[in-house]
Amino acid sequence: TQRLNNPQAMTDTLFSIEPQRSGVHVILTIEMQNRIGRNVLAETGPLMQNAIDRIIHTTGLALYDGASFSQPGSGTIQSGVLSALNSQILGNTTENPPEGAPMYAWLNPYQIPDLMVAAGAPVGPYTIPPGPSQEAYQRGIKAVQVIGGFEIRPSTNVRVDGSTLAHGGGHAKSMIVMVEEAVPQTFARDLEDMAGARALWLYESFDYGSITSGTGMGRLLSDATAPTA
């Protein structure tokens, strides 16, 4: 009888995220409240929440700048770059995503027309059979949905730097963690020293972290000049 008596040790690394607080503060003067429509005034809350949501999104997108993978670095982005990033994430021997984990690529809308070239969108007075070419011809960048294993997510929150390069990126869903603390906090106060103006505050506490120190994602850095033709 053969006995197995060789216990293995398992180790792990503590991964922690401490939420950071962000807030939006607005003052509604008496003049403003009296002169605009009630329906417009009612948009104050949603607009404050939109501002917080933008902060949350741009904070998450900033993680891509810390990735070890960064291509093409300049010029236009091609489908092969996304395929290469997909392979690097899935082939990571230290920490790879679970089987079937969704893969997302966040790109500035100005980056995406270059990817449409792969769809072979034709130009000419002839019938286009159903397929990727027809989709690209009819729907524009909305037709670019999955390339190189990534679901394409266009967003104007993707930063464009002073060199007109967009700092997009791609990751496996399980490789980036977002922590949000409790629920949004709201406060309001009348300001007697401003003739009864009303001050509003909205706070949320959140933060992001990469469980693989930048190897479970990649930066897709490419030209973001406004497309012409």
Side-chain angles (χ1 to χ4, degrees), residues 2 12 19 27-28 34 45 49 56-57 70 72 77 90 97 114 117 125 129 139 159 164 198 205 210 213 217 221:
Q2 186 176 19
D12 201 355
I27 294 178
L28 309 178
N34 290 337
Q49 185 61 59
I56 292 174
H57 196 194
S70 182
I77 189 171
L90 294 178
D114 298 316
V117 176
R139 302 179 59 214
R159 180 172 69 90
T164 324
R198 191 163 181 78
S205 298
S210 170
S213 300
M217 61 183 176
L221 184 69

Side-chain angles (χ1 to χ4, degrees), residues 19-132:
Q20 306 297 315
R21 182 177 293 109
S22 292
V24 176
H25 174 207
V26 300
I27 294 178
L28 309 178
T29 65
I30 287 295
E31 291 79 6
M32 171 196 174
Q33 297 179 59
N34 290 337
R35 295 172 185 173
I36 66 174
R38 298 295 95 183
N39 58 325
V40 178
L41 188 61
E43 292 299 316
T44 304
L47 287 173
M48 293 176 69
Q49 185 61 59
N50 287 346
I52 288 285
D53 290 343
R54 182 180 177 85
I55 294 171
I56 292 174
H57 196 194
T58 54
T59 300
L61 292 171
L63 287 179
Y64 291 142
D65 285 328
S68 54
F69 179 103
S70 182
Q71 290 191 21
S74 63
T76 60
I77 189 171
Q78 304 297 329
S79 59
V81 173
L82 278 79
S83 297
L85 175 57
N86 183 282
S87 296
Q88 288 201 20
I89 293 175
L90 294 178
N92 189 311
T93 56
T94 303
E95 186 79 44
N96 53 21
E99 185 73 24
M103 309 278 278
Y104 304 114
W106 289 92
L107 300 173
N108 188 284
Y110 286 179
Q111 292 177 282
I112 298 177
D114 298 316
L115 292 171
M116 290 178 60
V117 176
V123 177
Y126 42 78
T127 302
I128 306 172

Side-chain angles (χ1 to χ4, degrees), residues 158-179:
V158 173
R159 180 172 69 90
V160 178
D161 63 25
S163 300
T164 324
L165 293 175
H167 292 237
H171 69 280
K173 182 179 180 181
S174 57
M175 297 291 100
I176 292 180
V177 177
M178 176 194 175
V179 173

